[in-house]
Amino acid sequence: MPKINGNEIRPGNVLEHNGGLWAAVKVDHVKPGKGGAFAQVELRNLRNGSKLNERFRSADKVERVRLEQKDQQFLYESDGMLVFMDAETYEQIELPADLLGERRPFLQDGMTIVVEFYEAEALNATLPQKVTCQVVETEPVVKGQTAANSFKPAVLDNGVKVMVPPFVGQDEMIIVNTESMEYSERA
């Protein structure tokens, strides 16, 4: 496995650290006035979901793990487990629903997502970056309210609340960015 320097860690990287597999969630590069620069990294354990804040100096070496990525089609949910099927082998796997965290409502029937495997163990699931949703509830358009950055709250068909531009009305289809959980564009 390749070793990388502590200052090369990026969000989304998977590292082998303290005997476990950790995903870098947030990385802040800090250059204090005194002493050497370091990367303040927020890590999430891929097996149990626990979090850890760690400092890595540029001289520190960490193991970067390459995960095998496979496309899986979402079939159904039962007893808190999401069932996916491999499009090539038709093999089915079950993953816990909390693996997707707050992005779970964006998972739709038949949607193809990327599941990351370490050896034979499924560790992580990634939704498509953009998902089409329907606005079920929002305030009506107010005439003359055309400020450059004025957004209004809207509730989507999956129950998620997002901020949308004033021109988006009820029952319209919009595209939402699943990474930032924000309005992207009209569908």
Side-chain angles (χ1 to χ4, degrees), residues 78-97:
S78 73
D79 300 328
M81 297 298 278
L82 304 174
V83 179
F84 295 95
M85 178 184 70
D86 189 317
E88 295 169 13
T89 63
Y90 302 108
E91 209 174 287
Q92 291 185 4
I93 60 164
E94 285 189 356
L95 296 173

Side-chain angles (χ1 to χ4, degrees), residues 17-186:
H17 180 66
N18 290 351
L21 290 177
W22 301 82
V25 180
K26 236 168 65 181
V27 180
D28 290 321
H29 292 281
V30 180
K31 173 72 178 97
K34 190 175 184 182
F38 60 88
Q40 182 72 37
V41 184
E42 184 179 315
L43 299 167
R44 181 177 51 84
N45 191 309
L46 291 176
R47 293 197 171 102
N48 61 21
S50 64
K51 291 204 170 177
L52 172 73
N53 275 319
E54 200 71 64
R55 282 183 177 184
F56 293 100
R57 295 189 320 273
S58 60
D60 295 340
K61 297 276 190 207
V62 286
E63 292 270 339
R64 182 162 173 216
V65 179
R66 294 246 185 247
L67 298 179
E68 185 184 351
Q69 297 183 331
K70 289 185 183 173
D71 287 347
Q72 303 278 332
Q73 185 178 8
F74 175 61
L75 298 177
Y76 60 91
E77 180 177 3
S78 73
D79 300 328
M81 297 298 278
L82 304 174
V83 179
F84 295 95
M85 178 184 70
D86 189 317
E88 295 169 13
T89 63
Y90 302 108
E91 209 174 287
Q92 291 185 4
I93 60 164
E94 285 189 356
L95 296 173
D98 58 356
L99 186 70
L100 292 173
E102 60 193 20
R103 291 168 182 75
R104 166 65 187 99
F106 291 108
L107 186 64
Q108 300 163 349
D109 287 341
M111 180 182 276
T112 300
I113 69 164
V114 176
V115 177
E116 295 178 323
F117 291 89
Y118 179 66
E119 290 162 2
E121 180 185 9
L123 293 174
N124 199 6
T126 311
L127 290 172
Q129 188 175 4
K130 295 189 175 182
V131 175
T132 303
C133 298
Q134 183 177 5
V135 176
V136 292
E137 185 184 314
T138 188
E139 299 165 8
V141 176
V142 179
K143 228 17 177 187
Q145 187 182 8
T146 55
N149 287 345
S150 66
F151 279 74
K152 61 183 182 179
V155 178
L156 304 178
D157 54 359
N158 55 15
V160 176
K161 290 184 174 124
V162 295
M163 298 300 283
V164 297
F167 57 79
V168 174
Q170 196 162 328
D171 298 326
E172 272 192 61
M173 299 301 281
I174 64 168
I175 295 176
V176 179
N177 183 329
T178 57
E179 291 172 6
S180 63
M181 309 262 292
E182 293 174 350
Y183 167 86
S184 179
E185 60 188 311
R186 273 185 169 159

